[in-house]
Amino acid sequence: MPPNHPPRMPPPPWVIDLKNLPANKPRPVSSSIPDPPGFSAPSGSKKSAKLGPSTSANPSETDDLFLKKAWEIALAPAKAIPMNAIMMYMSGNTLQIFSIMMTVMLFMNPIKALSTVGSTFSRFDNERTHARLWPVKLAFIALQIATIALGIWKVNGMGLLPTTRSDWLAWERERQPMEYSAPAFQAILN
């Protein structure tokens, strides 16, 4: 004997039946709103017939867009330098795990970025943009070096750089006097 189930109720009218969706209606072509850059209308639409053959971007425009995006990537470390400087200032100059980890990360991230400069900008590099990409790479390298300089400033503030004479006492030799002087009462005793 099957279990007694209540009768199945039809779904409420507000539920969308995804299996029986109406066909997509083409949207009306509005000439007041231009298509976004790089958009190509389907071949059967009125807009494509009005435009004629497909319009493709000029290679120089594409190269300019590549260089613009490369400059955005190259200048991104400049936006992080003030934030890192404030974080280094706020972490203090004492040797604590937080300030040590922050300082290590301040060195590690730029070193990793400097080791991958070629692969970072490889997607923007082609025969037309190769010569124009050098200043972008140099700016990226300079900003990474500036971040490393910020790390050196922090390490010096923590007292970990040997910048004073007392840091090198182990290698100092004992001073040899050039002459000796005897007290006056020793001269009388002799």
Side-chain angles (χ1 to χ4, degrees):
M1 193 160 162
N4 198 3
H5 291 292
R8 187 166 193 171
M9 299 292 291
W14 53 266
V15 174
I16 298 173
D17 186 10
L18 296 177
K19 294 179 183 174
N20 299 323
L21 288 176
N24 286 342
K25 297 178 185 176
R27 65 180 176 97
V29 177
S30 173
S31 61
S32 63
I33 301 173
D35 286 332
F39 176 79
S40 61
S43 61
S45 71
K46 294 178 186 177
K47 199 162 220 180
S48 67
K50 183 174 74 171
L51 292 176
S54 66
T55 57
S56 62
N58 189 1
S60 65
E61 291 175 0
T62 306
D63 294 341
D64 290 341
L65 287 175
F66 278 171
L67 285 173
K68 184 178 178 182
K69 186 64 177 172
W71 273 111
E72 288 177 12
I73 291 173
L75 296 178
K79 298 173 186 172
I81 289 176
M83 180 198 59
N84 284 331
I86 290 171
M87 290 176 66
M88 291 299 115
Y89 174 75
M90 296 301 277
S91 67
N93 289 336
T94 58
L95 293 176
Q96 299 172 0
I97 190 69
F98 180 72
S99 59
I100 291 172
M101 284 186 344
M102 296 289 293
T103 308
V104 167
M105 291 305 289
L106 199 59
F107 283 106
M108 292 296 291
N109 291 337
I111 290 172
K112 286 180 185 176
L114 286 174
S115 66
T116 60
V117 171
S119 63
T120 301
F121 294 102
S122 65
R123 58 186 164 163
F124 307 115
D125 196 5
N126 59 33
E127 55 274 349
R128 294 180 307 274
T129 61
H130 185 72
R132 295 168 59 192
L133 213 55
W134 281 104
V136 177
K137 290 180 182 180
L138 290 176
F140 182 75
I141 291 170
L143 289 172
Q144 297 298 343
I145 290 173
T147 306
I148 291 173
L150 180 65
I152 292 172
W153 168 77
K154 177 64 177 177
V155 170
N156 185 41
M158 293 169 77
L160 297 177
L161 287 183
T163 56
T164 62
R165 186 173 180 182
S166 63
D167 293 326
W168 302 97
L169 285 179
W171 291 274
E172 290 279 331
R173 292 188 303 166
E174 183 181 349
R175 287 188 179 173
Q176 298 296 325
M178 299 295 286
E179 57 185 59
Y180 295 97
S181 67
F185 69 89
Q186 281 187 348
I188 296 174
L189 295 177
N190 289 337

